[in-house]
């Protein structure tokens, strides 16, 4: 686990890394590929017990004292030795689970997700925040009775462009706590034609701008943000603006709300 600058979390925890999505603004892929270990390094230093180097089927377990960051680059990889980390932290934290992966991508086996959930359950002092671009997986897990209905588990969905709006519906499940992360906002947020009460029946909405220096970086306009502010206010949904919006909104207009259940 690592302390994080992500404003809505205290730390990140990555028992699984990697993703087969191809988002152009993905910071996680750049980091993973930068620190990817060579096969020679893994063999000499890390003593990885399972070297199943098949994309999507990696299941690496470290045995040695050395640590190899991203032994398989950005291919999905499960680090079982990290599962106990939340238990080692007694002070309650908001933990962003798998900030370097999409834990709910269709390539991730149910058993990995189940082990991650079990590790979270073993450290109930923390709040766990999950985030995916595949919220339909929440629904599939729910139907299999594998999605914990716990008050400290928050299931988030990242949306940023219009066609992804439809995916937001998958996250609506009154039995579990959910949130939307509109980040990075890359287009005017579509409001017309959607059932706003359904869309905003979540426990929180996060909105942020793209960061970094990508050549085609999108700088959002204030008029893209204002409708979200209005809808959240009208539906009493806590809104959390990330600091990346300060240049657009001005510090005096920033809103940083959390639902009661996420307050420590
Ligand atoms: S879904 Fe997330 S982790 Fe996967 S490529 Fe996109 S931004 Fe990166």
């Amino acid at each position: 686990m690592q302390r994080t600058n992500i404003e809505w979390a205290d730390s990140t925890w990555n028992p699984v890394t990697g993703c087969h999505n191809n988002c152009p603004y993905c910071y996680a892929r750049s980091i993973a590929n930068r620190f990817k270990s060579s096969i020679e390094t893994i063999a000499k230093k890390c003593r990885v017990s399972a070297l199943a180097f098949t994309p999507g089927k990696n299941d690496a377990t470290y045995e040695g004292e050395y640590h190899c960051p991203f032994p398989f680059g950005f291919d999905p990889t499960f680090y079982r030795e990290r599962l106990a980390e939340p238990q080692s932290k007694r002070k309650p934290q908001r933990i962003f689970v798998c900030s370097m992966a999409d834990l709910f991508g269709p390539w991730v086996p149910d058993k990995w997700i189940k082990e991650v959930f079990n590790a979270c359950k073993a450290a109930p002092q923390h709040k766990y925040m999950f985030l995916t671009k595949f919220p339909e997986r929440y629904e599939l897990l729910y139907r299999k009775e594998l999605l914990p209905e716990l008050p400290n588990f928050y299931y988030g969905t990242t949306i940023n462009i219009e066609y992804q709006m439809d995916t937001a519906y998958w996250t609506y499940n009154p039995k579990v706590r959910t949130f939307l992360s509109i980040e990075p906002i890359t287009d005017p947020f579509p409001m017309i034609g959607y059932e706003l009460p359904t869309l905003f029946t979540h426990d929180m909405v996060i909105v942020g701008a793209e960061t970094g220096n990508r050549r085609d970086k999108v700088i959002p306009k204030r008029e893209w943000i204002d409708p979200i502010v209005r809808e959240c206010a009208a539906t009493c949904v806590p809104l959390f603006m990330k600091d990346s919006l300060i240049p657009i909104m001005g510090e005096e207009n920033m809103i940083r709300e959390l639902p009661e259940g996420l307050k420590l």
Side-chain angles (χ1 to χ4, degrees):
M1 277 172 61
Q2 286 184 314
R3 301 300 289 182
T4 180
N5 292 330
I6 296 169
E7 300 94 322
W8 45 265
D10 300 298
S11 55
T12 57
W13 170 50
N14 282 286
V16 174
T17 62
C19 178
H20 285 166
N21 243 347
N22 204 22
C23 306
Y25 46 78
C26 182
Y27 68 91
R29 184 193 302 103
S30 319
I31 294 170
N33 287 333
R34 194 179 333 141
F35 293 105
K36 179 176 180 174
S37 308
S38 69
I39 291 293
E40 293 75 27
T41 308
I42 295 167
K44 280 186 199 157
K45 294 178 84 182
C46 292
R47 287 181 273 158
V48 176
S49 65
L51 266 176
F53 195 61
T54 308
K57 290 190 179 168
N58 300 321
D59 199 352
T61 303
Y62 296 101
E63 288 184 330
E65 61 195 275
Y66 300 100
H67 176 72
C68 272
F70 309 107
F72 304 109
F74 208 47
D75 282 334
T77 304
F78 185 28
Y79 309 81
R80 278 208 174 83
E81 81 281 5
R82 295 182 187 171
L83 288 175
E85 289 175 7
Q87 283 184 74
S88 69
K89 309 286 180 194
R90 286 199 174 171
K91 193 174 167 199
Q93 300 184 27
R94 278 185 295 269
I95 300 175
F96 178 8
V97 181
C98 293
S99 61
M100 297 292 291
D102 194 321
L103 180 63
F104 301 94
W107 52 84
V108 180
D110 277 0
K111 68 172 185 156
W112 290 12
I113 299 173
K114 208 169 150 187
E115 286 191 52
V116 172
F117 283 159
N118 285 341
C120 299
K121 287 181 194 168
Q125 67 274 32
H126 305 303
K127 320 272 186 192
Y128 297 98
M129 299 178 75
F130 306 92
L131 203 48
T132 185
K133 285 198 169 72
F134 298 92
E136 57 270 39
R137 188 73 181 276
Y138 293 147
E139 181 70 18
L140 291 172
L141 291 165
Y142 182 76
R143 285 189 204 152
K144 293 181 193 172
E145 300 186 351
L146 292 176
L147 194 75
E149 297 173 37
L150 291 169
N152 59 332
F153 282 37
Y154 279 73
Y155 301 103
T157 298
T158 297
I159 53 174
N160 50 20
I161 51 178
E162 187 164 357
Y163 75 87
Q164 288 183 338
M165 285 289 289
D166 292 330
T167 69
Y169 287 97
W170 288 100
T171 66
Y172 179 64
N173 179 340
K175 296 276 179 67
V176 296
R177 303 199 174 185
T178 61
F179 64 99
L180 292 183
S181 175
I182 307 168
E183 191 200 6
I185 184 163
T186 54
D187 290 86
F189 196 70
M191 287 290 167
I192 297 164
Y194 290 92
E195 295 169 40
L196 295 179
T198 303
L199 183 59
F200 282 91
T201 307
H202 291 275
D203 293 280
M204 177 170 65
V205 171
I206 296 168
V207 62
E210 184 175 349
T211 55
N213 298 310
R214 194 172 65 93
R215 198 179 48 182
D216 299 322
K217 177 174 167 177
V218 177
I219 313 274
K221 295 183 170 50
R222 167 99 190 230
E223 55 262 36
W224 300 0
I225 314 296
D226 285 340
I228 300 170
V229 174
R230 282 197 297 273
E231 289 305 326
C232 284
T235 50
C236 299
V237 174
L239 172 63
F240 194 101
M241 292 179 180
K242 296 193 68 180
D243 287 353
S244 54
L245 290 184
I246 293 175
I248 295 137
M249 302 301 294
E251 178 58 42
E252 67 281 10
N253 296 311
M254 291 292 285
I255 299 169
R256 298 180 180 93
E257 297 168 332
L258 288 170
E260 284 304 315
L262 276 177
K263 292 179 183 167
L264 297 174

